[in-house]
Amino acid sequence: MSAELPQHRRTLIKVWVSGVAVFYLLLGALAVYTVDSEKRASDNSHILRMDPQAVEPGRTPPDPLPTSADFTKVNVGVYLDGIESLSIKDSYWTATFYVWFRWKGDKTLDPGKTFQLVDGKIEKKELQDAYAGADGINYQCYKVVAKLTKFFNTTRVPLDDHMLNIYIEDAARDVA
């Protein structure tokens, strides 16, 4: 059939097909570049978020601890038990986890009573274990079910990954 077309028409078709092919190759290269850039930015953000000495872009560094205050150091840990639900569309995830507190000194400090989640809502909180040792070491462990807010950047679907963070702070006592 192409032999029946005049030479200028065959040339026009070849140029058109080549132009379409180049357009889609450039579009594909742009998509790969964009996805790769998003991946590198996400990886850098994850590294900065996990480094206690680093500050993520767009965030302010934490205020330094006052030198004149008398602090009780409280160690905190979290064990993630499960993720019950995750909604990319609605920007949230629901998790069950155990959070523990260990400190030396005044047992009435009770950090488990006053902790809260940043960007999250505690649905259920149950004290699982607590003790005050003769050596002054105190311990509390809570089982928590919480709904946490998370914006999911979906520009890299289906090759994306997300860091789900649980931020805990004391609602009653701040650094001051």
Side-chain angles (χ1 to χ4, degrees):
M1 177 171 163
S2 66
E4 299 170 5
L5 294 173
Q7 179 63 32
H8 73 282
R9 295 272 179 161
R10 281 187 270 160
T11 305
L12 182 63
I13 290 172
K14 288 178 185 177
V15 167
W16 177 254
V17 168
S18 298
V20 169
V22 166
F23 173 76
Y24 281 106
L25 282 173
L26 289 174
L27 190 63
L30 178 64
V32 167
Y33 174 77
T34 302
V35 169
D36 185 58
S37 296
E38 288 285 335
K39 173 66 175 159
R40 278 188 267 118
S42 176
D43 289 343
N44 288 338
S45 176
H46 290 192
I47 289 167
L48 290 173
R49 187 169 295 138
M50 298 309 293
D51 183 354
Q53 304 303 320
V55 177
E56 292 179 74
R59 309 261 179 168
T60 57
D63 294 333
L65 294 175
T67 56
S68 62
D70 182 26
F71 293 102
T72 300
K73 181 179 177 183
V74 178
N75 294 308
V76 181
V78 174
Y79 298 110
L80 181 64
D81 191 38
I83 297 174
E84 278 66 41
S85 63
L86 182 129
S87 175
I88 293 173
K89 178 183 172 191
D90 298 322
S91 300
Y92 79 87
W93 60 293
T94 304
T96 300
F97 58 93
Y98 293 89
V99 59
W100 57 263
F101 304 93
R102 189 179 64 231
W103 71 98
K104 187 170 186 168
D106 185 9
K107 66 181 177 182
T108 62
L109 185 62
D110 198 11
K113 183 178 178 182
T114 59
F115 80 90
Q116 68 182 13
L117 301 177
V118 177
D119 292 332
K121 179 183 176 199
I122 297 174
E123 305 276 326
K124 187 176 178 184
K125 176 170 85 168
E126 297 175 354
L127 180 63
Q128 299 291 301
D129 191 17
Y131 67 81
D135 58 355
I137 300 292
N138 302 286
Y139 175 83
Q140 293 177 333
C141 180
Y142 285 84
K143 182 177 183 181
V144 179
V145 177
K147 184 175 181 178
L148 299 129
T149 303
K150 165 71 175 167
F151 172 72
F152 296 95
N153 181 352
T154 58
T155 57
R156 295 184 293 123
V157 168
L159 304 173
D160 53 344
D161 57 354
H162 299 279
M163 182 179 280
L164 300 175
N165 299 307
I166 300 172
Y167 296 109
I168 298 171
E169 68 181 10
D170 193 324
R173 298 177 235 22
D174 63 5
V175 71

